[in-house]
C-alpha cells in the first residue's frame, strides 16, 4: 500500500487535531472531565467538544498503527473520558472509525466547494472531485485503511452512519455534476460512483492496485459510467 503526494491545501491536514493542542490534564484526572453537570447549553457544547476529542484520539492512533491500534480503552484514555462515556457516544470501534471516515468525507466536500469546481464539462468536474478526494485519503494510508475496514463491517448497528457517509459523498458528486441539487437520476448515478470510489480505494488499500493505478482506474470507470448515463438522460 503506497501513498501519494498530498493535493494542494487538502483538508486532510486539519482532520485530526494536534494531540498536544488539546491535552487538558487536570488534577482530577480523566474522570473529572465528565463529573460537573452544567446548564443545557453548556452541556451541548461540551458534548460536541467531547465527541471531537474522541474522534481526534482515534485518528491519532489509526494514523500511526492502523485498525488494530484503535483500542477503545486507549481512545478513552487519550480523549480523557471514561470508557462508559466513550461507548455512549460510539457503541463500537467500527462505529467510531466509520464516524471518522464520515467526518473526513464531509470536511473534504466542504473544503473542495470553496472555491467551487470549475469547467464546462460536468463529467470533468466529477472526475476532478473524485481524483482529488482519493489523493487526499491516500496521503494517510493507515488511517484510511482503518476507516474503510470498519466501513465494510457487517455490523448492523453501522447502517445509519454508513448511510450518512454515503449521502455526504453522493451529495458532493451531484453538486459537482449539476452545480446544485440534481434529479433522482443524478442521485442514482452519484450513488453508483460512490460505490465505484470505495471499490477503487479498497483495491489500493489491499495492494491490488498502486495509488496511481487506483486513480487511473477510478477515472476510466467513472467516465464510462457517466458517458453511459448521458446516453440515457436527454438533459445530461
Amino acid at each position: 500500500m503506497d501513498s501519494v503526494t498530498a493535493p494542494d491545501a487538502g483538508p486532510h491536514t486539519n482532520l485530526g487535531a494536534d494531540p498536544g493542542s488539546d491535552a487538558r490534564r487536570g488534577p482530577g484526572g480523566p474522570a473529572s472531565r465528565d463529573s460537573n453537570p452544567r446548564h443545557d447549553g453548556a452541556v451541548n457544547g461540551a458534548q460536541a467538544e467531547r465527541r471531537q476529542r474522541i474522534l481526534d484520539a482515534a485518528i491519532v492512533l489509526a494514523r500511526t498503527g492502523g485498525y488494530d491500534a484503535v483500542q477503545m480503552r486507549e481512545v478513552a484514555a487519550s480523549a480523557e473520558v471514561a470508557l462508559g462515556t466513550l461507548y455512549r457516544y460510539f457503541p463500537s470501534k467500527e462505529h467510531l472509525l466509520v464516524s471518522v471516515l464520515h467526518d473526513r468525507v464531509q470536511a473534504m466536500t466542504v473544503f473542495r466547494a470553496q472555491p467551487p469546481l470549475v469547467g464546462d464539462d460536468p463529467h470533468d468536474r466529477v472526475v476532478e472531485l473524485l481524483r482529488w478526494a482519493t489523493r487526499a485519503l491516500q496521503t494517510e494510508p493507515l488511517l484510511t485503511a482503518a476507516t474503510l475496514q470498519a466501513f465494510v463491517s457487517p455490523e448492523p448497528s453501522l447502517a445509519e452512519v454508513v448511510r450518512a457517509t454515503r449521502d455526504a459523498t453522493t451529495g458532493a458528486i451531484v453538486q459537482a455534476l449539476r452545480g446544485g441539487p440534481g434529479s433522482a437520476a443524478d442521485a442514482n448515478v452519484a450513488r453508483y460512483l460512490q460505490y465505484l470510489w470505495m471499490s477503487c480505494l479498497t483495491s489500493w488499500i489491499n495492494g491490488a492496485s498502486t495509488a496511481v493505478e487506483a486513480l487511473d482506474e477510478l477515472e476510466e470507470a467513472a467516465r464510462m459510467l457517466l458517458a453511459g448515463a448521458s446516453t440515457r438522460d436527454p438533459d445530461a
Side-chain angles (χ1 to χ4, degrees):
M1 178 173 58
D2 50 353
S3 59
V4 298
T5 303
D8 294 341
H12 56 280
T13 56
N14 296 319
L15 291 170
D18 179 351
S21 67
D22 199 27
R24 303 176 180 88
R25 302 286 179 180
S32 67
R33 300 192 58 81
D34 300 316
S35 60
N36 296 321
R38 290 170 284 183
H39 61 79
D40 289 345
V43 168
N44 289 338
Q47 288 174 342
E49 190 265 351
R50 191 176 301 121
R51 176 185 183 276
Q52 190 58 53
R53 285 207 321 274
I54 292 169
L55 291 169
D56 290 344
I59 287 170
V60 170
L61 290 169
R63 273 178 174 158
T64 56
Y67 182 86
D68 291 339
V70 182
Q71 300 298 321
M72 296 298 265
R73 288 188 181 277
E74 293 287 339
V75 172
S78 181
E80 298 184 23
V81 299
L83 187 60
T85 300
L86 170 57
Y87 277 108
R88 284 197 295 273
Y89 281 81
F90 302 100
S92 69
K93 167 179 170 174
E94 290 76 18
H95 193 285
L96 172 58
L97 285 170
V98 177
S99 297
V100 169
L101 179 61
H102 169 266
D103 285 11
R104 294 184 83 206
V105 169
Q106 199 165 53
M108 285 191 296
T109 56
V110 170
F111 180 91
R112 197 61 189 90
Q114 301 296 330
L117 293 161
V118 297
D120 296 330
D121 188 334
H123 296 182
D124 287 345
R125 295 196 300 268
V126 171
V127 169
E128 180 188 349
L129 171 67
L130 292 173
R131 288 184 66 94
W132 183 88
T134 302
R135 289 197 303 270
L137 293 179
Q138 285 177 334
T139 61
E140 297 191 288
L142 290 178
L143 174 58
T144 299
T147 57
L148 288 178
Q149 184 172 339
F151 186 82
V152 299
S153 169
E155 186 179 329
S157 66
L158 297 176
E160 182 176 355
V161 67
V162 166
R163 278 195 297 267
T165 306
R166 180 190 65 195
D167 292 346
T169 307
T170 56
I173 293 171
V174 170
Q175 178 68 31
L177 185 63
R178 298 302 182 201
S183 65
D186 293 330
N188 286 335
V189 170
R191 186 171 68 254
Y192 301 144
L193 285 167
Q194 185 265 340
Y195 295 150
L196 173 64
W197 183 52
M198 287 294 179
S199 177
C200 287
L201 283 171
T202 302
S203 180
W204 161 68
I205 286 298
N206 63 30
S209 302
T210 67
V212 173
E213 287 170 345
L215 284 166
D216 291 344
E217 291 163 0
L218 173 63
E219 177 171 352
E220 180 181 6
R223 289 193 182 279
M224 290 174 63
L225 193 156
L226 289 163
S230 294
T231 63
R232 295 191 298 271
D233 184 356
D235 298 325

